[in-house]
Amino acid sequence: MAAKRGEFTLSEKIEVPSGLLNAIIAGYQLAISKTLGTGAAAMTQLLIKNIGDFLADMLEDIGVKVGDIKDLKKDIPEAFKKLGISDKVEVEVPSNGTKEGDKYVIKISDSIFKPVAKLLHEKGIAYTLSPESFIAAALVRRAIRKSKPDAQVRIKVHPQKSPDEPLVIEVIVR
């Protein structure tokens, strides 16, 4: 195994406790929120724009066939399940676009990142660095760009008001 030699790849199956992942995400979110204040949300949009394709390529490296996504309603929940993030993902695909663009609504229940979302909400900190939102946006963006190469993608993560509600991510495509 390459990891034993100190060489890691994205495709290796190495277990990391979900609590550690949540702590890392919370740490980044706290630092960014304190540094940028309300600008933290703007940074998230910048990240989506600049790392979306990079993230999609990384997902391919770990076995999620991002290039094969055709049916967003079916393929996005399968991707989240394969990644081990959540078995409960629902995708609402727009029937008609709005003046802002086509809006996809992705609802994720029981994500492995739910603890950090709850903690940040309790502390009054917006969860702008949601890994779920980055992954959802990268998947939608890659799928949409097949037919619309110049598509602009924006995300909005709605804070969870209670542990019983799903994380709701809106992906707007123009």
Side-chain angles (χ1 to χ4, degrees):
M1 174 185 258
K4 288 185 181 178
R5 297 189 309 268
E7 302 167 9
F8 295 91
T9 67
L10 294 176
S11 61
E12 286 186 82
K13 302 285 185 197
I14 297 173
E15 290 187 31
V16 177
S18 65
L20 176 59
L21 292 175
N22 280 284
I24 291 167
I25 293 163
Y28 280 125
Q29 183 69 69
L30 288 167
I32 287 170
S33 294
K34 285 186 180 273
T35 304
L36 299 176
T38 58
M43 191 192 92
T44 299
Q45 298 308 320
L46 182 65
L47 284 171
I48 289 294
K49 181 178 179 184
N50 290 303
I51 69 164
D53 291 334
F54 179 71
L55 179 57
D57 292 340
M58 289 178 74
L59 291 171
E60 288 272 353
D61 288 347
I62 59 175
V64 176
K65 303 292 183 216
V66 176
D68 294 342
I69 291 181
K70 293 172 184 66
D71 180 352
L72 294 171
K73 245 182 143 140
K74 178 176 101 19
D75 295 337
I76 288 178
E78 284 180 13
F80 273 86
K81 186 174 186 169
K82 182 171 187 160
L83 291 167
I85 294 172
S86 177
D87 291 339
K88 292 177 163 183
V89 178
E90 180 186 329
V91 179
E92 295 174 11
V93 178
S95 56
N96 292 331
T98 66
K99 64 180 179 177
E100 293 88 26
D102 293 335
K103 181 168 74 171
Y104 297 81
V105 178
I106 301 165
K107 296 177 182 176
I108 303 169
S109 300
D110 298 331
S111 164
I112 62 168
F113 301 111
K114 190 172 187 174
V116 75
K118 285 174 47 181
L119 171 73
L120 292 170
H121 178 71
E122 289 168 6
K123 296 201 175 289
I125 298 168
Y127 186 32
T128 62
L129 295 178
S130 153
E132 302 97 329
S133 66
F134 288 140
I135 292 167
L139 295 173
V140 170
R141 185 175 193 220
R142 180 65 60 96
I144 297 297
R145 284 199 158 172
K146 287 178 190 174
S147 60
K148 228 175 145 180
D150 296 330
Q152 297 295 315
V153 178
R154 291 189 54 81
I155 62 165
K156 179 178 181 183
V157 180
H158 294 271
Q160 290 174 279
K161 295 181 178 94
S162 81
D164 300 326
E165 291 184 14
L167 177 67
V168 178
I169 302 164
E170 289 181 4
V171 182
I172 309 283
V173 179
R174 286 190 228 179

